[in-house]
Amino acid sequence: MTSLLYPSEPVIGDDAPARHIEPPRGYGRGLDYSTKGLGFGSVAQPFPEELLIPESDWQGMIQEMESTKTRISDLLDACGWKPKNQQQTEYCWVNAPTFCVEVTRLKQNESPVVLSPASVGAQITNYRNVGGFTKGALDWIATHGIAPASAWPANAISRQYATQDNLALAQRYRQNDWFVLDLSNMAQIISCLLRRIPVAAGLSWWRHEVTYIDPVWVDGAIGVRFENSWGEQYGAKGRGVLQGRRMYPDDACAPYTALAAA
Amino acid sequence: MAEPTPDLAQLVPQIKAALAAHVKTTAGTRSVLAELDAALHESGALPEPTPTPAPSGPGILTRIAAGVGGLVKRIPYQAIAIAVILVVSLAQNGGHGLSCSGLPSIIPTPVKPTVTTGPIRVIEVTDQAKALSQTQLEALNSTTVRAYLDSHCAKDSDGRPAWRSWSPDVDPSGESKSWQDAWATAKPLASSPPCVVIFPAGGLPPVAAPLPADATGLLALLTKYGGK
């Protein structure tokens, strides 16, 4: 059994060609662990052991969720949800957790609101276009929330949008709960994905952060489908597959409950 | 002996006929008919003795009649007739409802509650931090179930389908007043997640059910209230 890939979906293994890894011209990435120490995780939880799914079950469960069309990618397609597009910003580390919040809200059937990564990244970095890391972003999102892109443009690193109204509006779009996954623990990551919990994954080798959305089984091995933040022109409408050493992240968080808000 | 009221006098033959139709199959049930005769006789509901032979020993109705003594004579005849029919019918049906075909409608027949189908409001209550079975995960993430909910749920004020999938400790303060009220009603019913709380059409009280084992079961549950 091999997962059915989306048309033109790249599989990025250990020998992936550069064209699938390098950002499009003028695009940013932004993963930067040097900012660690800002404090994070006040409401995060470690991954519960009881949620671990044995490796021997993975292939069968992947086949089942593909045949029943109950993957996160199926949800996104059913809702017509678009990938994030960070453009020139170095805010991949905010785009991925922001996308996770959007997925969680779709699962909860909250109003489908496109959220603004810049409303988080700009405030964390004091309006600089620099990198960061997942947990720092999620800690901010849990406390302050994310402004809708309709109020604060998705890539606008500008104080002019930090109005009282927008800051109050952002409070409606907070993440309540997430798991902090152990370093490079693929068992935890795959268990989250099998449970339809998206994972924001920072990849040092790529200096980039993406959102893992589905587990896949390709050529007899486990892999992960990710949603990139380089717009729809990347891969298969913004998606690709990571396998082998490439799929092991250096930090990973799995948000699973968003504040209920219209 | 009290004079039977005219309406009861008219009812007695019909009661007897209906009971006879029910009890003519076994000797044991024939004795019930005889006891009914005796009880009706003693109460004065029957003006003349009937040709039905008396039972060989005291039956339950006779003992009841004897136990209550003269009180029986002061009880309205309609009440006695109803009591007799209840005893016989319950004995015949094992306690599961009445069977009084042929009787005038003096006894209300229990009516099975009917479910009104129509636009529903639904809250799925699940804790993502707790393990669910694979088929339950499929049910919660099924695009088929989602399509059903989208098309069969009532519409919120913003036009969106009125269903949510929330954790047991959800904070709905950012939701509309109607959803905050819905959660206040649903939360006590959702004390054992994973479960589904359905608000039927017509403002009927919400019902809670454990999350079915799979998508087919969840669809069946939703269809019961939301229609096909």
Side-chain angles (χ1 to χ4, degrees):
Chain A
M1 170 258 175
T2 288
S3 294
L4 185 64
L5 301 180
Y6 290 96
S8 70
E9 188 170 35
V11 177
I12 302 174
D14 294 340
D15 302 315
R19 70 177 183 278
H20 297 316
I21 299 170
E22 291 303 312
R25 192 180 180 89
Y27 273 58
R29 289 187 271 200
L31 188 68
D32 183 0
Y33 291 116
S34 67
T35 56
K36 269 193 171 182
L38 295 174
F40 60 84
S42 56
V43 296
Q45 302 175 38
F47 187 81
E49 284 294 311
E50 66 183 273
L51 294 191
L52 272 180
I53 294 173
E55 194 170 339
S56 57
D57 293 347
W58 291 358
Q59 186 180 357
M61 289 184 73
I62 291 169
Q63 192 168 10
E64 186 70 18
M65 63 197 289
E66 288 177 351
S67 67
T68 54
K69 291 196 171 298
T70 57
R71 301 165 297 183
I72 290 176
S73 60
D74 295 310
L75 169 70
L76 296 170
D77 291 345
C79 296
W81 206 250
K82 306 290 186 206
K84 307 305 285 181
N85 189 338
Q86 70 181 86
Q87 297 180 341
Q88 78 288 354
T89 71
E90 298 289 326
Y91 288 170
C92 65
W93 54 281
V94 188
N95 275 264
T98 298
F99 191 75
C100 288
V101 176
E102 292 175 347
V103 169
T104 305
R105 285 178 50 83
L106 289 176
K107 289 176 64 180
Q108 295 178 188
N109 200 37
E110 308 293 349
S111 304
V113 177
V114 177
L115 300 171
S116 167
S119 71
V120 175
Q123 293 186 86
I124 292 176
T125 63
N126 198 22
Y127 298 89
R128 291 178 297 150
N129 185 15
V130 295
F133 65 103
T134 318
K135 298 186 190 80
L138 272 172
D139 193 29
W140 177 277
I141 291 169
T143 307
H144 304 286
I146 315 171
S150 58
W152 186 318
N155 298 314
I157 307 175
S158 170
R159 294 179 193 276
Q160 76 178 87
Y161 297 106
T163 63
Q164 288 303 312
D165 284 350
N166 281 350
L167 298 184
L169 193 56
Q171 285 285 332
R172 300 170 64 84
Y173 305 101
R174 301 197 308 269
Q175 186 71 36
N176 280 2
D177 303 295
W178 71 85
F179 300 129
V180 175
L181 307 184
D182 295 342
L183 183 65
S184 294
N185 188 325
M186 282 311 295
Q188 291 183 355
I189 290 170
I190 298 300
S191 295
C192 281
L193 298 178
L194 288 168
R195 296 183 182 284
R196 284 75 164 181
I197 299 173
V199 177
L203 302 154
S204 284
W205 67 266
W206 205 354
R207 288 196 303 109
H208 192 39
E209 181 159 326
V210 295
T211 306
Y212 291 176
I213 54 173
D214 298 333
V216 295
W217 195 267
V218 178
D219 296 332
I222 191 72
V224 292
R225 173 171 290 119
F226 64 92
E227 190 96 2
N228 206 340
S229 52
W230 290 342
E232 283 189 277
Q233 76 268 29
Y234 177 83
K237 292 186 178 176
R239 296 173 190 158
V241 167
L242 291 171
Q243 268 197 311
R245 292 194 306 273
R246 302 285 200 190
M247 68 180 172
Y248 282 80
D250 299 282
D251 79 320
C253 295
Y256 61 89
T257 305
L259 182 74
Chain B
M1 186 173 293
E3 191 68 23
T5 57
D7 56 338
L8 183 58
Q10 289 167 3
L11 283 178
V12 166
Q14 295 179 56
I15 294 170
K16 285 190 66 183
L19 287 172
H22 283 287
V23 300
K24 62 189 175 187
T25 51
T26 67
T29 50
R30 275 194 198 100
S31 70
V32 173
L33 184 59
E35 290 174 26
L36 170 63
D37 278 335
L40 291 172
H41 232 12
E42 189 176 342
S43 68
L46 288 179
E48 293 177 2
T50 68
T52 309
S56 55
I60 186 167
L61 290 177
T62 307
R63 290 198 297 274
I64 291 170
V68 297
L71 183 61
V72 169
K73 295 178 181 176
R74 294 194 292 276
I75 297 174
Y77 300 116
Q78 291 90 338
I80 294 173
I82 289 169
V84 168
I85 292 167
L86 280 171
V87 169
V88 172
S89 184
L90 288 172
Q92 284 193 306
N93 295 303
H96 296 292
L98 295 172
S99 176
C100 301
S101 56
L103 286 179
S105 56
I106 57 172
I107 300 171
T109 306
V111 179
K112 264 191 165 181
T114 55
V115 177
T116 304
T117 58
I120 50 179
R121 172 180 278 209
V122 176
I123 306 178
E124 300 166 343
V125 185
T126 58
D127 188 348
Q128 296 270 342
K130 303 275 191 237
L132 294 170
S133 72
Q134 181 184 358
T135 51
Q136 284 180 318
L137 286 167
E138 286 169 7
L140 291 170
N141 293 279
S142 163
T143 47
T144 307
V145 171
R146 194 178 181 93
Y148 179 89
L149 289 166
D150 286 349
S151 59
H152 287 75
C153 281
K155 297 292 181 277
D156 283 336
S157 56
D158 61 359
R160 299 191 59 254
W163 67 271
R164 296 289 187 272
S165 185
W166 282 345
S167 74
D169 55 356
V170 67
D171 173 5
S173 57
E175 273 283 5
S176 63
K177 174 76 164 53
S178 66
W179 275 110
Q180 291 178 31
D181 292 345
W183 180 243
T185 306
K187 190 172 183 180
L189 304 175
S191 56
S192 300
C195 62
V196 183
V197 181
I198 301 173
F199 295 77
L204 295 175
V207 290
L211 177 67
D214 55 24
T216 304
L218 179 53
L219 268 179
L221 173 65
L222 296 170
T223 304
K224 183 176 175 185
Y225 297 94
K228 299 204 174 195

